Amino acid sequence: MHSGGRAPLYIADMKIRVLGCAGAMAAGHKTTSFLLDDDVLIDAGSGVGDLDLEALARIDHILVSHSHLDHVLSIPLLADAAQRLRAQAGRPPIRVHALPETLQALRQHLFNGVIWPDFTRLPSPERPALQFSPFAIGQRLDLGLGRQVEVLSAAHTVPAVGFAVDGGPAGHWVYTGDTGPNPALWARLAQLPLAHLVIECAFGDDECRLAGLSRHLCPTTLGQELAQLSGRVQVHITHIKPGEGQAVMAAVLALPTPHVVAALRGGQEFQL
């Protein structure tokens, strides 16, 4: 479902800040979340907790790659923390964009009145804190101000996606989400001008079998995936487990690749 018609008008200073990029939580390590400008979250891991209350209240959209806890754990806490300020300012519900299967998992397992209140109906059904918006792979989301984000395929243990933020002449910023080997991703990326690729490598080569079972990448399979990417792209490695970064990155940096590869860092910013 690709949008047609006129090309979008791009805002001048679109930026993406890394709030968290670790594969698990530990001191100094925050799980996956990115902040697009000051009002869009891409995933909502523990890094969202570093934002102050006023910043939390500015979040209008949350794009969710999949339902695993390290990517969604801040959504219920954000809904509770920000809803009062947003209501006082007359702001609409925060829109949570995800696959229908992901939204159903959030309803069933988080916003079920047992783990957390159902903020899609609170403080009232007429003015809830959250609004769920399903999307489909291949859909382009219009987030206002000329910002277009395409939903990409991912191959994980639960229904999952990645995202491509259209930076216009600057090229796309792509986040693969959690994924194992995925030919459909590379077929689509071959059609896009890329500026940055954020891709996971959750396990070292000593755990490649576990990576395969859990539909993640290890350095060996990452190298096979990057071989399908033409040109010379800035590649940022994410989702490494705490304590394993040095070993994983040593193996990744030893891969034969034309791409410029580095570990993603918390607090890192991308200008598009």
Side-chain angles (χ1 to χ4, degrees), residues 115-140:
I115 297 298
W116 205 248
D118 183 1
F119 278 100
T120 67
R121 296 183 58 80
L122 294 172
S124 71
E126 297 75 27
R127 295 191 61 84
L130 299 177
Q131 179 183 45
F132 285 178
S133 296
F135 59 48
I137 292 171
Q139 186 172 343
R140 287 177 65 90

Side-chain angles (χ1 to χ4, degrees), residues 126-233:
E126 297 75 27
R127 295 191 61 84
L130 299 177
Q131 179 183 45
F132 285 178
S133 296
F135 59 48
I137 292 171
Q139 186 172 343
R140 287 177 65 90
L141 308 175
D142 185 349
L143 302 178
L145 300 175
R147 297 173 302 183
Q148 300 277 324
V149 179
E150 181 176 334
V151 183
L152 303 172
S153 71
H156 199 35
T157 55
V158 295
V161 301
F163 299 105
V165 179
D166 188 347
H172 286 66
W173 179 93
V174 170
Y175 162 55
T176 66
D178 285 12
T179 187
N182 181 16
L185 171 67
W186 306 106
R188 179 58 185 143
L189 293 190
Q191 302 170 332
L192 297 177
L194 296 187
H196 299 277
L197 174 66
V198 176
I199 186 169
E200 67 131 91
C201 190
F203 294 93
D205 274 338
D206 59 330
E207 294 185 305
C208 266
R209 181 177 178 276
L210 179 57
L213 291 173
S214 58
R215 307 294 293 273
H216 283 288
L217 297 175
C218 63
T220 294
T221 51
L222 173 65
Q224 295 165 357
E225 296 295 281
L226 291 180
Q228 303 174 66
L229 181 64
S230 61
R232 182 177 171 85
V233 176

